[in-house]
Amino acid sequence: MVNETQHTCSASSSSKSDGGSSSGGESSKDSSRCSTPVLDADRHERLREKMRRRQDSGDKWFSLEFFPPRTANAAVNLISRFDRMGAGGPLFIDVTWHPAGDPGSDKETSSMIIANTAVNYCGLETILHMTCCNQTKDDITGHLQKAKRLGLKNIMALRGDPTGEEWEEEVDGFNYAVDLVKHIRNEFDDYFDICVAGYPTGHPEAESYEADLRHLKEKVFAGADFIITQLFFRSETFLKFMKDCQAIGITCPIIPGIFPIQGYHSLRQLVKLSKLEVPQEIKDVIEPIKDNDAAIRNYGVELAVTMCRELLGSGLVHGLHFYTLNREVATTEVLKRLGIWKEDPRRPLPWAVSAHPKRRVEDVRPIFWASRPKSYIYRTQEWDDFPNGRWGNSSSPAFGELKDYYLFYLKSKSPREELLKMWGEELTGEESVFEVFTCYISGEPNKNGHKVTCMPWNDDPLATETNLLKEQLEKVNRRGILTINSQPNINGKPSTDPIVGWGPSGGYVFQKAYLEFFASSEIVTALLKVLKKYELRVNYHIVNVKGQNITNAPDLQPNAVTWGIFPGREIIQPTVVDPVSFLYWKDEAFALWIEQWAKLYEEESPSRMIIQYIHDNYYLVNLVDNDFPLENCLWQVVDDTFELMN
Amino acid sequence: MVNETQHTCSASSSSKSDGGSSSGGESSKDSSRCSTPVLDADRHERLREKMRRRQDSGDKWFSLEFFPPRTANAAVNLISRFDRMGAGGPLFIDVTWHPAGDPGSDKETSSMIIANTAVNYCGLETILHMTCCNQTKDDITGHLQKAKRLGLKNIMALRGDPTGEEWEEEVDGFNYAVDLVKHIRNEFDDYFDICVAGYPTGHPEAESYEADLRHLKEKVFAGADFIITQLFFRSETFLKFMKDCQAIGITCPIIPGIFPIQGYHSLRQLVKLSKLEVPQEIKDVIEPIKDNDAAIRNYGVELAVTMCRELLGSGLVHGLHFYTLNREVATTEVLKRLGIWKEDPRRPLPWAVSAHPKRRVEDVRPIFWASRPKSYIYRTQEWDDFPNGRWGNSSSPAFGELKDYYLFYLKSKSPREELLKMWGEELTGEESVFEVFTCYISGEPNKNGHKVTCMPWNDDPLATETNLLKEQLEKVNRRGILTINSQPNINGKPSTDPIVGWGPSGGYVFQKAYLEFFASSEIVTALLKVLKKYELRVNYHIVNVKGQNITNAPDLQPNAVTWGIFPGREIIQPTVVDPVSFLYWKDEAFALWIEQWAKLYEEESPSRMIIQYIHDNYYLVNLVDNDFPLENCLWQVVDDTFELMN
């Protein structure tokens, strides 16, 4: 009777995802999901505790609902959106359950895998929806076990649509959401935080508003931790509902579901599915402008902002849940106008922290994957322990196979034609490659007038921090030092520094200068002679695709290259240059030449052979200047090298 | 027949230990016994590997032999000597086996316990002598098991003196050192490094020089790792012996035993016991000056230096073993003149590293025991793991009971009368106590003209580093801020800095300013008001004897207050302020008022009641200034406190 999937309005909506793939960088998220020693309050908190703490502190929050995409390309876009919208600091996101889309499968577009990506790769606290209608107990237990294994800790327990007309209650079956709640608590004890749906105007199929409230109370008393409501159009609707819930003894958090109207058609479809009544005054505004998407969206934003202000102003509401329809603009606009979008998300660590419970203590990573954090997370997902405090020199376990690496969410966001425009339809020699690297750094268009906004090793434009080195990087790339990773030295900047800062305020952050690049064997020969002069000061690792390895690193010790000192804390050293993992990274870095670049061209074509030549003959080099309080000497090392060659 | 205990000349010598108890500080030792991640080469090396590495690098070394003392007071003096002579960088020390002195017992003067102290508390690589004659297999196995349990890794296997005239070989018994070597290898596999004795002129009881060489070869082939020789008077004696050994196939290291002649009587007694012939030319010099100790010692030093130079100059000798007779002056003089005494011992960490194999990875300690490292080692000896990389906030296991603490080697080196002179025969009020603290800091004599060279919390004079703060410390002690521990802030000094440096060269060391003191409740009340102004910048813990605890430390997180950044290394943070262990330290710090100070006076005496009053009513305070790059604000905090009180 109680049809709860209607609640998940966005899941049944056919709205197209917004196609833009503008990139935003891997900025880390706010404290709502920090799992590092730096920010302890959140370290081992579960979602319901985070909610309670925000309520106690009066810190308003928001959450975002997404539905699984239909295609792998749309999935790549959705994940970029997770990163960008995650930067605004949602307390959590949720991913709807799509019964028609094989939601518990390993498909790249399944609800399960999208939620897995959000938690593990984007570091977002995530709720996975799950419906129980027409499913066996074993199926459901299987899904829940899988969710647990993937690091998901929160379930939205729903009934789902009965299939077929003649649906009847099954004895001992899963007939209602409450059965799923009970099942989760029976089988998984207190492992999951459970959310259930609430209907501010009563469920359309319920006998009455009061009966629906009683159903809700049953779900809560069966073990649900909080409630998210179906959308509504007037704040009074929600506030009355909330009071009615409290009157019958529901005391858990009740989070209003906010639906910013984004277009005429999506609104109509939603209303049809959810059987909600759109108030006449809204219809009156929308009908005359129904063909003007921008106008409708502006109106929808205005309406949502007004309603949210009323809700927050009531003092009864601490968080707002947004039905995004997988779109960014309207929701982001509402959040910014409400002032609860984090404009300057503090980073708990210099890199994005994964939200998998297993990785909670992780606070050290090799620098090599700085621009490919998802690849690092993927390749280390089988680890039982994650380094914290110290990387250690014998503790780095095996990295996942490179072959696993070409998973959809690690692929470039750009299509082949775009890449060819950026990296050259036809290469004429190694110099054409130098030019591509140089244009990526400089931001200038290449000789065909196209800007180079990504590289095989870096799917996003240059990081702000790297911009500090732009001039020197441009100069050396032009001459064949093909840089793929670098950081400037930092001698004690405040942890709140907008570019290089991370961790709690009141601290100081430090870095050793780092430079990583591909270079020809001629350059490497000269470089090695020059490096003799810098012995002790500069540590280097030089390796080619065959694994020939030249280094002056003592033993196989890692070198800490980023660290922070904070009030009342132990020292955090989140980035290291680790000799062992460098050899794993080397495989990946060389493979990217072929897989992402060479394969754009016909086999046997000159362009392909040029890339293949570089792959076969160049060296991958990393340099660390240990004297972080002095001026970075790595540019001098490179200059000396070129001078020696002349 | 082969009486080997003669080898251990010092064990049978009755020479009195030199009585001085001048104190030298807890300086750490050279790389020969480092067990920290900073200096990896030595990290897990056993003695024979260290020897081999020194031989390969051409780095000459020395070792020192001591015998167990007769009284507890002499033991306290000997341990101070270990610390002072350890600072010169011996590759190892050895402790002789004293069959008459219950050598395997738990007595404070037993060979076993002295060797245990050398390893665990003084951080010295140590060889324990062991004899087998007239002992059962079970006895011997028991001794070896105990040695292993205490962290001893090296045994000098000797036969020992047969007791009684009618000694006969026992069938299957321990008749010769070779039996002990075999037994150790049988029962303990390769756990121990084994040393055996060699006789450059042949053992006096051996059938012949050649027969003695064959016995030596048997011992080596049974599993000995190296040989230390009986003393000799001419370098040719040793060099011939070495060639003869090599000629019959002995290839392990052979270390010459050097005996600097220190006095007429000790030489005579030694010669009698060892049945050695003193060359006529030496007798000719000594006889006329036999009553002039200084003259004999000067001659002995001269003789030893000449012989050692010949040995080292031969190119065949890499290390020298000194029979110290438990005295310092002559041996130190010889070593200094040879240039192999380390004048500036590099510290691997800011505190003395214990040489127990279990503690090899230890590189973090609470700052509180900085002046009482032996107490810290003692109280943590039951730990299974030692913190490294990070102290962690839930990882500090239980500290040993305070009652165990009054062990002889944790007692003050000074007798009661001396302490009364320093700390006051009669106290007239709290101000008398302030004066004692002030005089300790200033180095000025107290009003009765006695210098205060130690305090209950610090058995040694002020550390060089603390001298940097002397002026301010003196000022605040005068007013009742009774300081017991402090360090200045350091913002990146070279790791080779003679005062605050530690770890390998090429690094930078840092510190947060720290101040720990006792103060009255009036001072603490004002201090707490002042600290509100310094919130975030200054972390504090304030506790009284009853355990009332006031702090602004986040959670129970430790605060790193000393750390170092080194080329090609992870960050080392050897000192932390840990809230949990502070409460253990608090018990110790308060108990010292009573046990070391109050108990000097009669019960019910006014002096005793003054100390008891302070014990009962004062607070123990620690302050950390987190803003290490700025000027230390802790003095301003104290000034503000006094100003508020006026």
Side-chain angles (χ1 to χ4, degrees):
Chain A
M1 289 154 19
V2 182
N3 181 339
E4 289 174 339
T5 50
Q6 302 310 336
H7 157 76
T8 64
C9 60
S10 50
S12 19
S13 153
S14 66
S15 74
K16 56 191 187 299
S17 77
D18 78 26
S21 70
S22 73
S23 43
E26 289 294 336
S27 57
S28 300
K29 305 318 154 342
D30 80 300
S31 61
S32 68
R33 59 190 182 67
C34 169
S35 59
T36 80
V38 181
L39 296 164
D40 309 282
D42 277 333
R43 200 168 171 187
H44 294 251
E45 270 184 347
R46 27 201 316 171
L47 180 50
R48 64 192 184 205
E49 287 160 0
K50 290 181 189 176
M51 247 177 232
R52 197 173 308 130
R53 195 160 52 83
R54 295 292 184 104
Q55 182 166 336
D56 293 347
S57 68
D59 202 6
K60 304 303 180 202
W61 55 266
F62 67 94
S63 52
L64 304 169
E65 182 164 311
F66 299 94
F67 55 86
R70 283 162 195 267
T71 66
N73 272 346
V76 170
N77 283 331
L78 180 60
I79 292 155
S80 302
R81 190 161 300 118
F82 286 171
D83 287 338
R84 288 191 300 277
M85 296 190 80
L91 189 66
F92 64 87
I93 70 152
D94 59 330
V95 177
T96 62
W97 191 251
H98 215 195
D102 203 356
S105 75
D106 285 337
K107 276 191 206 159
E108 41 201 40
T109 55
S110 78
S111 300
M112 187 73 81
I113 294 303
I114 292 294
N116 163 58
T117 303
V119 166
N120 288 292
Y121 299 93
C122 306
L124 297 168
E125 178 83 51
T126 301
I127 301 178
L128 175 62
H129 290 220
M130 205 172 278
T131 62
C132 59
C133 183
N134 294 113
Q135 291 193 76
T136 68
K137 201 168 181 168
D138 283 354
D139 280 350
I140 289 170
T141 302
H143 292 325
L144 289 165
Q145 277 165 343
K146 183 169 184 175
K148 183 176 174 183
R149 205 168 55 241
L150 294 176
L152 292 160
K153 296 164 293 178
N154 314 293
I155 299 291
M156 173 114 182
L158 300 165
R159 173 191 172 208
D161 281 314
T163 51
E165 297 276 309
E166 301 92 54
W167 176 77
E168 284 181 19
E169 287 191 21
E170 295 175 55
V171 180
D172 291 335
F174 289 94
N175 299 305
Y176 302 101
V178 68
D179 300 325
L180 180 52
V181 175
K182 286 176 183 164
H183 178 73
I184 298 173
R185 283 287 171 251
N186 280 340
E187 299 282 314
F188 294 86
D189 201 15
D190 202 35
Y191 177 79
F192 290 105
D193 277 17
I194 302 176
C195 174
V196 291
Y199 298 85
T201 52
H203 192 278
E205 295 173 23
E207 304 121 66
S208 68
Y209 176 76
E210 289 70 27
D212 197 43
L213 278 182
R214 283 194 302 275
H215 288 306
L216 181 58
K217 184 175 171 178
E218 274 177 41
K219 293 194 284 190
V220 173
F221 277 61
D225 296 296
F226 51 93
I227 297 162
I228 295 178
T229 77
Q230 174 61 294
L231 65 93
F232 50 86
F233 294 101
R234 294 193 183 103
S235 55
E236 309 88 76
T237 312
F238 175 82
L239 295 171
K240 174 181 180 301
F241 171 70
M242 204 169 170
K243 277 178 196 142
D244 293 338
C245 286
Q246 286 166 346
I248 63 161
I250 296 172
T251 57
C252 70
I254 305 175
I255 303 141
I258 310 297
F259 174 74
I261 296 171
Q262 307 200 43
Y264 184 74
H265 294 289
S266 61
L267 178 63
R268 263 176 69 111
Q269 185 166 23
L270 175 81
V271 164
K272 193 178 129 213
L273 283 165
S274 63
K275 301 191 177 115
L276 286 176
E277 194 69 48
V278 178
Q280 191 57 45
E281 68 268 24
I282 296 181
K283 283 185 189 158
D284 289 347
V285 178
I286 285 184
E287 279 298 331
I289 54 170
K290 67 182 177 185
D291 296 322
N292 184 341
D293 280 357
I296 290 186
R297 195 170 61 198
N298 287 343
Y299 171 66
V301 166
E302 192 58 45
L303 211 59
V305 168
T306 306
M307 193 169 76
C308 290
R309 284 197 178 128
E310 287 167 5
L311 290 169
L312 295 173
S314 74
L316 300 171
V317 171
H318 306 279
L320 303 166
H321 184 71
F322 283 83
Y323 295 111
T324 67
L325 304 187
N326 284 18
R327 297 183 193 172
E328 277 178 76
V329 181
T331 300
T332 307
E333 173 76 15
V334 172
L335 287 167
K336 285 184 176 170
R337 286 183 50 189
L338 291 173
I340 57 178
W341 177 270
K342 297 217 169 191
E343 284 301 333
D344 174 28
R346 297 302 324 282
R347 304 186 296 169
L349 287 173
W351 34 264
V353 178
S354 176
H356 194 294
K358 242 184 18 176
R359 299 185 90 117
R360 260 186 192 139
V361 298
E362 179 182 30
D363 68 5
V364 193
R365 288 186 186 175
I367 197 171
F368 316 121
W369 282 269
S371 302
R372 300 181 63 75
K374 293 188 178 69
S375 168
Y376 179 75
I377 294 168
Y378 186 78
R379 296 190 63 183
T380 60
Q381 63 185 346
E382 298 303 327
W383 290 8
D384 289 327
D385 291 307
F386 289 90
N388 63 92
R390 175 171 283 170
W391 178 269
N393 56 345
S394 56
S395 67
S396 41
F399 283 79
E401 287 296 309
L402 197 55
K403 67 177 162 55
D404 293 326
Y405 156 84
Y406 301 102
L407 276 183
F408 79 101
Y409 43 73
L410 302 177
K411 283 197 301 199
S412 173
K413 291 190 292 258
S414 312
R416 180 170 179 273
E417 316 82 67
E418 234 176 275
L419 296 177
L420 278 171
K421 279 183 193 159
M422 291 195 273
W423 301 345
E425 305 276 353
E426 213 181 315
L427 304 177
T428 53
E430 291 166 62
E431 286 71 20
S432 326
V433 173
F434 299 179
E435 196 215 342
V436 174
F437 275 84
T438 309
C439 290
Y440 173 70
I441 298 288
S442 69
E444 299 293 316
N446 63 19
K447 64 179 175 214
N448 295 318
H450 298 287
K451 288 206 175 192
V452 181
T453 58
C454 70
M455 291 295 282
W457 304 270
N458 201 336
D459 219 16
D460 292 313
L462 222 54
T464 331
E465 183 190 9
T466 316
N467 254 311
L468 301 173
L469 307 172
K470 198 166 157 173
E471 205 176 311
Q472 288 104 326
L473 286 170
E474 200 183 319
K475 211 172 83 184
V476 305
N477 275 282
R478 210 178 287 287
R479 301 181 69 177
I481 298 263
L482 307 177
T483 60
I484 60 170
N485 195 357
S486 59
Q487 69 176 22
N489 60 319
I490 303 289
N491 186 16
K493 286 225 181 177
S495 58
T496 47
D497 184 278
I499 297 175
V500 299
W502 53 273
S505 58
Y508 294 92
V509 297
F510 292 79
Q511 291 180 181
K512 291 180 180 176
Y514 179 75
L515 191 61
E516 183 182 332
F517 54 86
F518 291 101
S520 68
S521 61
E522 292 72 34
I523 290 178
V524 164
T525 306
L527 176 66
L528 276 168
K529 281 188 194 132
V530 169
L531 282 171
K532 285 212 177 76
K533 274 201 313 186
Y534 294 86
E535 199 66 42
L536 270 183
R537 175 158 182 183
V538 176
N539 280 115
Y540 57 84
H541 295 88
I542 302 176
V543 66
N544 66 5
V545 73
K546 296 168 208 100
Q548 192 196 342
N549 193 9
I550 312 159
T551 178
N552 69 342
D555 316 308
L556 284 178
Q557 290 257 333
N559 190 350
V561 292
T562 303
W563 64 98
I565 317 295
F566 300 97
R569 299 268 183 248
E570 292 193 81
I571 288 153
I572 315 287
Q573 45 172 344
T575 324
V576 297
V577 169
D578 169 49
V580 178
S581 38
F582 184 59
L583 298 182
Y584 290 95
W585 165 247
K586 175 266 291 179
D587 291 340
E588 185 167 331
F590 276 104
L592 286 163
W593 280 107
I594 303 300
E595 296 300 325
Q596 288 222 8
W597 199 336
K599 289 190 175 170
L600 294 177
Y601 309 108
E602 298 287 313
E603 272 186 65
E604 308 282 329
S605 67
S607 294
R608 185 149 175 175
M609 285 164 68
I610 288 164
I611 301 296
Q612 184 75 48
Y613 176 83
I614 290 176
H615 170 270
D616 294 348
N617 293 285
Y618 274 40
Y619 286 80
L620 180 61
V621 178
N622 76 50
L623 303 176
V624 176
D625 177 5
N626 288 300
D627 260 334
F628 62 95
L630 312 182
E631 203 189 339
N632 178 354
C633 75
L634 301 181
W635 306 117
Q636 191 59 50
V637 169
V638 172
D639 282 353
D640 290 359
T641 303
F642 286 128
E643 197 170 305
L644 187 68
M645 292 173 72
N646 285 346
Chain B
M1 286 155 27
V2 182
N3 182 340
E4 289 175 341
T5 50
Q6 303 311 335
H7 157 75
T8 62
C9 59
S10 50
S12 18
S13 155
S14 66
S15 72
K16 57 188 186 300
S17 76
D18 78 27
S21 71
S22 73
S23 42
E26 287 297 333
S27 57
S28 299
K29 308 314 157 337
D30 80 299
S31 61
S32 68
R33 56 182 186 73
C34 168
S35 59
T36 81
V38 181
L39 295 164
D40 309 282
D42 276 333
R43 199 169 172 185
H44 295 247
E45 269 183 349
R46 28 200 317 168
L47 180 51
R48 63 193 186 206
E49 287 160 0
K50 290 181 190 176
M51 247 177 231
R52 196 173 310 128
R53 195 159 52 82
R54 296 290 183 105
Q55 181 165 336
D56 293 346
S57 68
D59 200 7
K60 306 300 181 206
W61 55 266
F62 67 94
S63 52
L64 304 169
E65 181 164 311
F66 299 93
F67 55 86
R70 283 163 196 266
T71 66
N73 273 346
V76 170
N77 283 332
L78 181 60
I79 292 156
S80 301
R81 190 162 301 118
F82 286 172
D83 286 338
R84 288 191 300 276
M85 296 191 79
L91 190 66
F92 62 88
I93 71 153
D94 59 331
V95 178
T96 62
W97 192 252
H98 215 198
D102 202 355
S105 74
D106 285 336
K107 275 191 207 160
E108 42 202 39
T109 54
S110 78
S111 301
M112 186 72 82
I113 293 301
I114 293 295
N116 163 59
T117 302
V119 167
N120 288 291
Y121 299 93
C122 305
L124 297 166
E125 178 84 53
T126 302
I127 302 178
L128 175 64
H129 290 219
M130 206 171 278
T131 62
C132 60
C133 183
N134 292 113
Q135 292 193 75
T136 68
K137 200 169 184 172
D138 284 353
D139 280 349
I140 289 171
T141 302
H143 291 326
L144 289 164
Q145 276 165 343
K146 183 170 183 175
K148 184 175 173 183
R149 207 168 53 241
L150 294 176
L152 292 160
K153 295 164 293 179
N154 314 293
I155 299 290
M156 174 114 181
L158 300 165
R159 174 191 172 208
D161 281 315
T163 50
E165 298 276 311
E166 301 91 55
W167 177 75
E168 285 182 17
E169 288 193 20
E170 295 175 55
V171 181
D172 292 335
F174 289 95
N175 298 306
Y176 302 101
V178 67
D179 301 325
L180 180 53
V181 174
K182 286 176 183 165
H183 178 73
I184 296 173
R185 284 284 173 253
N186 280 340
E187 300 282 316
F188 295 86
D189 201 15
D190 202 33
Y191 178 80
F192 290 105
D193 277 15
I194 301 176
C195 174
V196 292
Y199 298 84
T201 52
H203 192 278
E205 296 173 21
E207 305 120 64
S208 68
Y209 176 76
E210 289 69 26
D212 197 42
L213 278 181
R214 283 196 302 276
H215 288 306
L216 182 59
K217 185 174 171 179
E218 274 175 42
K219 293 193 283 188
V220 172
F221 278 58
D225 296 296
F226 51 93
I227 297 163
I228 295 178
T229 77
Q230 177 60 294
L231 66 92
F232 49 89
F233 295 100
R234 294 193 183 103
S235 55
E236 310 87 76
T237 313
F238 175 82
L239 294 171
K240 173 181 182 303
F241 171 70
M242 204 169 171
K243 276 178 197 142
D244 293 337
C245 285
Q246 287 166 348
I248 64 161
I250 296 173
T251 57
C252 70
I254 305 174
I255 303 141
I258 310 297
F259 174 75
I261 297 171
Q262 308 199 42
Y264 184 75
H265 294 288
S266 60
L267 178 65
R268 263 177 68 110
Q269 185 165 21
L270 176 81
V271 164
K272 192 177 130 215
L273 282 164
S274 64
K275 303 189 175 112
L276 286 176
E277 194 68 50
V278 179
Q280 192 57 45
E281 67 268 27
I282 295 179
K283 284 186 191 155
D284 290 347
V285 178
I286 283 183
E287 281 296 335
I289 55 170
K290 64 180 177 185
D291 297 320
N292 185 341
D293 281 356
I296 291 189
R297 195 170 62 195
N298 287 343
Y299 171 67
V301 166
E302 192 58 45
L303 212 59
V305 168
T306 306
M307 191 170 75
C308 290
R309 283 200 179 125
E310 287 167 8
L311 291 169
L312 295 172
S314 74
L316 299 171
V317 172
H318 306 279
L320 303 166
H321 184 71
F322 284 82
Y323 296 111
T324 67
L325 304 188
N326 283 16
R327 299 183 192 172
E328 276 178 77
V329 180
T331 300
T332 307
E333 174 74 14
V334 173
L335 288 167
K336 284 182 177 172
R337 285 183 50 188
L338 291 172
I340 56 177
W341 177 269
K342 297 220 168 190
E343 284 301 334
D344 174 27
R346 297 303 324 283
R347 303 187 296 169
L349 287 173
W351 34 264
V353 179
S354 175
H356 194 293
K358 243 185 18 175
R359 300 185 89 117
R360 262 189 189 135
V361 297
E362 179 183 30
D363 67 6
V364 193
R365 287 186 185 175
I367 195 171
F368 316 120
W369 283 267
S371 301
R372 301 181 63 76
K374 292 187 177 72
S375 167
Y376 179 76
I377 293 167
Y378 185 78
R379 296 191 63 183
T380 60
Q381 65 186 344
E382 298 303 328
W383 290 7
D384 290 327
D385 291 309
F386 288 90
N388 64 92
R390 174 172 283 170
W391 178 269
N393 56 345
S394 56
S395 67
S396 41
F399 283 79
E401 288 295 309
L402 196 54
K403 66 178 166 51
D404 293 326
Y405 158 84
Y406 302 103
L407 275 184
F408 79 100
Y409 41 73
L410 302 177
K411 283 197 301 200
S412 175
K413 292 191 291 259
S414 311
R416 179 168 179 274
E417 317 81 69
E418 231 174 277
L419 295 177
L420 278 171
K421 279 183 195 158
M422 290 195 271
W423 302 344
E425 306 275 354
E426 211 183 317
L427 304 177
T428 53
E430 292 166 61
E431 285 72 21
S432 326
V433 174
F434 300 178
E435 196 214 344
V436 175
F437 276 85
T438 309
C439 290
Y440 173 70
I441 297 290
S442 69
E444 299 295 315
N446 62 21
K447 62 180 177 215
N448 296 319
H450 298 287
K451 288 208 177 190
V452 181
T453 57
C454 70
M455 292 294 281
W457 305 269
N458 202 336
D459 219 17
D460 292 313
L462 223 52
T464 330
E465 184 191 8
T466 317
N467 254 312
L468 300 174
L469 306 171
K470 198 166 157 174
E471 203 176 313
Q472 287 106 327
L473 286 170
E474 199 183 321
K475 211 172 83 183
V476 306
N477 276 282
R478 209 177 287 287
R479 302 182 66 177
I481 297 264
L482 307 177
T483 60
I484 60 171
N485 195 357
S486 59
Q487 69 175 23
N489 59 319
I490 302 291
N491 186 17
K493 286 228 181 174
S495 57
T496 48
D497 183 278
I499 297 176
V500 298
W502 51 273
S505 59
Y508 295 91
V509 297
F510 292 80
Q511 291 180 178
K512 291 179 180 177
Y514 179 75
L515 192 60
E516 184 182 332
F517 54 86
F518 290 101
S520 66
S521 60
E522 292 71 33
I523 291 178
V524 165
T525 305
L527 176 66
L528 275 168
K529 281 189 195 131
V530 168
L531 283 170
K532 284 211 177 75
K533 274 202 314 189
Y534 293 86
E535 199 64 44
L536 271 183
R537 177 159 181 184
V538 177
N539 279 117
Y540 58 84
H541 294 86
I542 302 177
V543 67
N544 65 7
V545 73
K546 295 168 209 102
Q548 191 197 343
N549 193 9
I550 312 160
T551 177
N552 69 343
D555 316 309
L556 285 178
Q557 290 257 331
N559 190 350
V561 292
T562 302
W563 63 99
I565 317 296
F566 300 97
R569 298 269 184 246
E570 292 193 82
I571 288 153
I572 315 288
Q573 46 172 345
T575 324
V576 297
V577 170
D578 169 48
V580 177
S581 38
F582 184 59
L583 298 182
Y584 290 96
W585 165 246
K586 176 265 293 179
D587 291 341
E588 186 167 332
F590 275 103
L592 286 163
W593 279 108
I594 303 299
E595 297 301 325
Q596 290 224 6
W597 200 336
K599 290 190 174 168
L600 295 177
Y601 309 108
E602 299 286 313
E603 272 186 67
E604 310 280 327
S605 68
S607 294
R608 184 146 176 179
M609 283 164 69
I610 288 163
I611 301 295
Q612 184 75 48
Y613 175 84
I614 290 176
H615 170 271
D616 294 348
N617 293 284
Y618 273 41
Y619 285 79
L620 180 62
V621 178
N622 76 50
L623 303 176
V624 176
D625 176 5
N626 288 298
D627 260 333
F628 62 95
L630 312 182
E631 201 189 339
N632 178 354
C633 75
L634 300 182
W635 306 118
Q636 191 59 51
V637 169
V638 173
D639 282 352
D640 291 359
T641 303
F642 286 130
E643 197 169 306
L644 186 67
M645 291 173 72
N646 287 345

